Amino acid sequence: MIPVQGFRGQKVAVLGLGRSGKTAALALRAGGAEPIVWDDGQPARDAAHDEGFDVVDLTKSVAFDGVSALIVSPGIPHLYPKPHPVISAAWDAGVPVDNDIGLFFRSFATSEWDGFDTAPRVIAITGSNGKSTTSALVHHILVENGRSAQLAGNIGRGVLDIDPPSDGDIVVLELSSYQTDLARALTPDIAVLTNLSPDHLDRHAGPGGYFAAKRRLFAEGGPDRAVIGVDEDEGRYLANQLADHLADDRVIRVSSGQKLDQGGWTVFAKKGFLSEYRKGRQVASVDLREVAGLPGAHNHQNACAAYAACRTLGLSPKGIEAAMRTYPGLPHRSQVIAQVGGVTYVNDSKATNVDSAAKALAAFPKVRWICGGLQKEGGLAGLHASLDHVVRAYVIGREADAFARDLPGVDAAICTTMQAAVAAAVADALPGEVVLLAPAAASFDQYDNFEQRGDDFTAQVKTALAV
């Protein structure tokens, strides 16, 4: 655990007692603070009380008397669509509001580092899609190349739950917009933006607010090196703002699909080959076509970002390539479940928005597509260019009829349930086709989360195939 610095003997409030909130309370206590905690749910409050925490109703008018800071869990709105009442009360009382990411960055470095030969470093990875895969891939590459590394943040362990870093240790953090938006301290050594597409627009009051939350990691974080996906205008804009000139190698531009050879330091993938260029000349190449854990152009973009981040740490192209070939992939992200009778079954339940689903569809030429759920803002227009890969759609969710109507020219079966969709797709599928779960929607109309939805798909496939 990383004990939180700077609050010894002070009262600090924690709002929200999920994984990050509970860990923050423990880390505050480990650092000598006096945490008081609150959650809107009674079961979480009861559990905190049983663990010895002081449970205080932060909605009361005097709750912030003597409180030095309020630490907020990422799922709690702090500005849009409207601030949580406890956060409003903290503002009125003049109490600084922060989150566990801010606590991590203010507490990560300690006096023990004075005896290290190599200072620990932090790689922070954000973006709309692919940040989990990129984070896990960076961690895998580091470990496979003999580097001491820990993976945390929006994936794996909470940031304050990791072990205090050792000499030369590298911490890989996946950070969501919810986390970067509020953190009062953001000081990564290397920052990565995979891409940007519309998501969480209600939480950020539109695409501008969403981009601004991501941009804070770079503009306020001041990383030594920035790896920027430039396949969208926002990435191009950010790379331009961070670099003093085209050859400024503090900024590494990455892309999937376009050649970047005009100067500077670039990494791009085209036709299945990753290329690294410096000052307009190619210095390395990696064949991604046979890397089983990274199928499709969207994963090649992730590979480029991970490759670039690892190169900034001095890893060799050959060492990175060898590690990529052993990368197993993440559950629910282009995860191959089975291959039976020439048909491949792929679980991409994490494809919860239109952009990620479109990239999943584009990765395979003939798709039996299981889709549907709770639609996000903006509709399904962003999918239309990828629908020619769809042999047939099998639509699930409580609003399956409405979802199917937004898929022009697609043969769509209204299945509603995962069981019915999988059974129909398995019966219809022909050799050379892919049965793909890429919902393009949230899961909350039928499931608690995308993991539960992916697990259901996996179970139904195995039952239908008797594997």
Side-chain angles (χ1 to χ4, degrees), residues 2-152:
I2 305 291
V4 173
Q5 301 181 42
F7 292 108
R8 182 171 295 277
Q10 300 177 46
K11 188 185 297 183
V12 179
V14 177
L15 175 63
L17 296 173
R19 184 190 67 171
S20 65
K22 181 180 175 181
T23 302
L26 289 168
L28 283 161
R29 190 161 64 183
E34 301 173 8
I36 61 174
V37 302
W38 184 252
D39 192 282
D40 291 335
Q42 186 66 47
R45 298 198 296 265
D46 292 342
H49 179 270
D50 292 343
E51 292 191 43
F53 286 107
D54 189 6
V55 179
V56 175
D57 188 349
L58 297 177
T59 65
K60 302 297 184 183
S61 59
V62 296
F64 285 99
D65 291 352
V67 170
S68 297
L70 172 65
I71 309 304
V72 180
S73 292
I76 298 173
H78 59 269
L79 187 56
Y80 304 111
K82 65 179 182 179
H84 190 282
V86 170
I87 295 176
S88 292
W91 293 346
D92 292 340
V95 173
V97 180
D98 203 350
N99 62 14
D100 63 329
I101 304 302
L103 295 181
F104 168 83
F105 278 110
R106 69 178 286 165
S107 306
F108 183 56
T110 68
S111 58
E112 293 181 1
W113 290 23
D114 294 340
F116 290 171
D117 292 329
T118 303
R121 282 177 283 186
V122 176
I123 303 174
I125 298 168
T126 193
S128 297
N129 302 308
K131 57 184 179 292
S132 293
T133 294
T134 302
S135 300
L137 180 58
V138 168
H139 179 259
H140 177 80
I141 293 169
L142 292 172
V143 171
E144 288 294 297
N145 280 271
R147 298 293 185 95
S148 175
Q150 300 185 71
L151 178 64

Side-chain angles (χ1 to χ4, degrees), residues 276-320:
E276 177 187 3
Y277 273 67
R278 296 201 192 189
K279 298 180 180 179
R281 301 189 60 163
Q282 185 172 358
V283 298
S285 178
V286 175
D287 185 353
L288 298 173
R289 295 173 299 175
E290 301 303 321
V291 179
L294 297 167
H298 59 306
N299 274 312
H300 292 176
Q301 183 184 60
N302 301 333
C304 289
Y307 176 97
C310 291
R311 287 288 280 147
T312 68
L313 297 172
L315 272 65
S316 71
K318 287 186 178 180
I320 296 172

Side-chain angles (χ1 to χ4, degrees), residues 1 10 16 18 31 73 77 82 98-99 121 170 181 185 189 269 271 284 290 296 303 381 391 424 434 437:
M1 176 162 286
Q10 300 177 46
S73 292
K82 65 179 182 179
D98 203 350
N99 62 14
R121 282 177 283 186
I170 301 164
D181 196 20
D189 298 281
K271 296 182 179 180
E290 301 303 321
V391 178
V434 172
L437 171 66

Side-chain angles (χ1 to χ4, degrees), residues 353-364:
N353 59 42
V354 165
D355 185 66
S356 56
K359 289 175 178 176
L361 289 173
F364 308 105

